[in-house]
Amino acid sequence: MSWEEWIKQDAVALAQLIRNKQISPQQAAAQAAAAVERLNPKLSAVLEVYENTLEDIHVDGPDKKGALYGVPMLLKDLGSSLKGRTQEAGSKLYRNRVATSTDPAVENYLRAGLIPIGRSTTPEFGNSFDTTTDYLGKVLVTRNPWNLDRTPGGSSGGSAAAVAAGIVPIGTSSDGGGSTRIPASFSGLVGLKASRGRVPQPLAQNEYMSRHTIDGVLTRTVWDTAAIYDYLTDIPEGGTFIPMGAPAESYLSLVSRDPGPLVIGLSTGRWGRGTDTVSEVSERVRVVGALLDRLGHRVEEIDDTRICDWDAMWDGYVTTWISSNARLRHEAEQQGINPSDLENYVTPIIYRHYLAADRYDKYDVWRAMERNNQVTRAFGRFMSRFDLLLTPTFAIQPQLANGPYSLLRDQELDPWVSRLCDACRYVMPGNETGMPSISVPAGVDREGLPIGVLLHARWGREDLLLQIAAQLERWKPEWFEAFPPIHAGI
């Protein structure tokens, strides 16, 4: 397949070509690997290509009957893992760690017929939207194919850069504070964070101990996201505390038709933070709101101070986020590392997270759970007035790669976390409450960098998010079909 043809194929289209025997799965995997070889020196998005997969695409057991059989994908180096494959979470603490089991989400990808051909970069433990590491003996900066000076976002930055550049049509993600939706926004992609309980957790996790994080994918089209979620939402018995049941209808069939008229709230407010959203980002949200209004939906700008007690939201989220780093003591001891030596095994900002975890005791964690209950119910009352809520995905534009949000910086923790929360104000509440939301492309800014907008829905309404996203894709295909300056077709 020519490179011009390659970049035109999303996963659904590529799977159809494979079914029609116009290209073989082996050829698709080889072409993706060739794209890695061509573009990764510029992007630093891919840590490893699985050479034995290129020799035998069935080595990890993809289902030949899956609707996406033969389509190559990348696995994020964090989150759900594949047995026998290295997963290091971007950290020296986990250097050369090999997964001993396959997590249910990855089993679902294999059931869809997808072919994992390698793994993509992530910042250490996914704790930033700047995908930069130094645990491999050098500083590795993942770069945005729209502008190599900028980050593609994170923590699923490697997947985002590779998908945006046309290396593969799908990269896996995980989202504990925006790590699917932020790189989608920065890289001109589609990124859905499903409701808590909708997607299976890794075997070592559950919604109580890790309520913020949920796995997902980054794609170039809504069709691909829908097709993958038809498989991804399958949860084994006992695999969740929040059984939601299977979706009532195939997501892929749903996205072929528009939703009925919806009531959509619109907000570009501060959401409890101390800074305003960048005006160019806010303007783009209003452009999307005006389009939705023309399409027959009722769009109403809302007062964000009425959504919830924002002090409670941020206190609960940050308490859980920082206190959870106490686990690093246990992780170090399990590997025979003295916790007093952790500074030599993690990046400066992660080490400051670890030290700060000692601020919190069991009463603080209990208070954070009370806050979660308070804030989640407040969001529930607010969303009872609306079908969807439209906001920016991110409050600022794509930042410098290895810039002020890099984990390699030796900065005081509290100001760093505060700036991160300012920027991530629209994505983090969804992790705290478990609400679903989807980031979709909405054009580019004056510098030619993508801007994403975020649509939030009530719990369990991924179907509605995918339908409205598909409607936008039909009316504004240029937002979804744009390619960055660095891509496989060049």
Side-chain angles (χ1 to χ4, degrees):
M1 184 180 292
S2 73
W3 288 111
E4 285 186 359
E5 291 174 305
W6 175 261
I7 64 170
K8 294 176 183 176
Q9 312 304 319
D10 66 3
V12 171
L14 186 58
Q16 185 63 52
L17 292 178
I18 290 169
R19 280 193 295 275
N20 294 342
K21 302 187 185 306
Q22 293 172 262
I23 183 174
S24 72
Q26 293 84 356
Q27 289 171 323
Q31 187 142 0
V36 172
E37 187 174 359
R38 289 177 56 210
L39 298 181
N40 204 50
K42 295 179 180 178
L43 299 175
S44 297
V46 180
L47 289 165
E48 175 187 9
V49 171
Y50 303 144
E51 294 298 331
N52 63 339
T53 298
L54 301 183
E55 296 168 3
D56 175 9
I57 63 161
H58 298 112
V59 67
D60 292 312
D63 189 340
K64 295 180 181 179
K65 297 179 181 178
L68 297 173
Y69 172 64
V71 175
M73 70 182 304
L74 290 169
L75 298 177
K76 179 182 178 181
D77 197 40
L78 180 70
S80 293
S81 57
L82 175 59
K83 183 178 180 179
R85 299 301 189 183
T86 302
Q87 188 186 71
E88 298 168 315
S91 180
K92 183 179 178 182
L93 188 63
Y94 291 152
R95 188 78 172 96
N96 297 320
R97 182 180 64 169
V98 175
T100 58
S101 59
T102 297
D103 287 314
V106 177
E107 289 182 346
N108 288 344
Y109 298 134
L110 294 172
R111 197 164 53 84
L114 294 164
I115 311 293
I117 65 157
R119 60 189 173 110
S120 59
T121 55
T122 185
E124 190 167 35
F125 307 134
N127 271 38
S128 179
F129 61 80
D130 182 323
T131 301
T132 302
T133 61
D134 67 351
Y135 75 103
L136 297 171
K138 62 180 180 179
V139 175
L140 188 69
V141 184
T142 301
R143 299 187 179 277
N144 194 324
W146 290 88
N147 183 327
L148 295 178
D149 291 332
R150 306 299 178 94
T151 177
S155 63
S156 311
S159 286
V163 173
I167 292 173
V168 288
I170 303 166
T172 70
S173 62
S174 54
D175 192 316
S179 292
T180 294
R181 295 158 292 162
I182 295 166
S185 178
F186 280 16
S187 304
L189 302 174
V190 176
L192 171 64
K193 183 200 78 69
S195 305
R196 185 175 299 143
R198 176 62 81 188
V199 172
Q201 290 270 26
L203 295 170
Q205 295 179 11
N206 58 59
E207 295 95 350
Y208 179 75
M209 294 301 295
S210 184
R211 72 178 187 273
H212 288 153
T213 304
I214 189 164
D215 283 8
V217 292
L218 288 160
T219 69
R220 293 197 297 270
T221 68
V222 178
W223 283 86
D224 278 0
T225 297
I228 294 161
Y229 270 81
D230 275 345
Y231 289 88
L232 184 55
T233 53
D234 184 56
I235 298 178
E237 286 295 326
T240 178
F241 293 160
I242 312 170
M244 303 184 74
E249 183 179 346
S250 160
Y251 291 130
L252 191 56
S253 66
L254 274 172
V255 297
S256 63
R257 61 181 188 268
D258 291 342
L262 303 173
V263 180
I264 302 174
L266 184 153
S267 173
T268 60
R270 289 189 170 188
W271 283 40
R273 306 307 305 174
T275 58
D276 291 326
T277 295
V278 170
S279 60
E280 194 171 359
V281 173
S282 295
E283 290 165 10
R284 183 60 53 169
V285 173
R286 289 188 171 83
V287 167
V288 175
L291 172 59
L292 291 170
D293 188 75
R294 292 196 301 274
L295 293 175
H297 307 294
R298 181 161 65 85
V299 180
E300 172 189 335
E301 188 146 5
I302 58 97
D303 177 1
D304 64 283
T305 63
R306 302 180 64 184
I307 296 176
C308 71
D309 179 340
W310 289 111
D311 288 340
M313 206 299 300
W314 292 110
D315 175 66
Y317 185 89
V318 172
T319 295
T320 303
W321 176 8
I322 295 179
S323 65
S324 67
N325 287 274
R327 77 187 189 284
L328 295 180
R329 176 183 294 274
H330 174 67
E331 299 286 350
E333 289 172 343
Q334 277 197 321
Q335 296 179 62
I337 297 169
N338 190 322
S340 64
D341 293 332
L342 262 174
E343 188 173 13
N344 299 318
Y345 287 86
V346 296
T347 50
I349 288 292
I350 292 295
Y351 187 64
R352 291 187 182 275
H353 276 80
Y354 167 69
L355 295 177
D358 284 342
R359 301 175 188 169
Y360 303 99
D361 61 20
K362 58 188 177 184
Y363 301 106
D364 294 306
V365 175
W366 182 261
R367 187 190 72 247
M369 294 303 292
E370 286 187 314
R371 300 290 205 196
N372 176 264
N373 182 52
Q374 172 189 352
V375 169
T376 301
R377 292 177 187 275
F379 263 89
R381 289 189 296 271
F382 176 80
M383 288 301 293
S384 68
R385 297 170 46 204
F386 300 99
D387 298 300
L388 299 172
L389 175 61
L390 171 65
T391 70
T393 303
F394 212 62
I396 55 179
Q397 288 145 304
Q399 298 293 292
L400 290 174
N402 196 23
Y405 298 90
S406 170
L407 295 174
L408 308 188
R409 296 287 179 264
D410 191 8
Q411 300 175 4
E412 291 301 316
L413 180 65
D414 289 343
W416 188 89
V417 169
S418 181
R419 287 188 295 106
L420 198 76
C421 290
D422 285 348
C424 300
R425 69 189 66 177
Y426 301 110
V427 287
M428 286 177 171
N431 298 92
E432 179 67 13
T433 63
M435 288 173 58
S437 57
I438 190 168
S439 181
V440 295
V444 297
D445 66 15
R446 295 180 185 91
E447 295 183 60
L449 294 167
I451 295 177
V453 299
L454 196 64
L455 288 147
H456 312 250
R458 300 173 191 172
W459 290 260
R461 293 310 308 269
E462 291 81 9
D463 57 336
L464 197 55
L465 289 174
L466 288 165
Q467 277 192 301
I468 197 74
Q471 187 178 30
L472 288 171
E473 187 173 25
R474 281 189 284 274
W475 281 87
K476 283 291 184 179
E478 65 271 22
W479 290 351
F480 293 78
E481 295 172 0
F483 278 96
I486 306 297
H487 67 91
I490 295 178

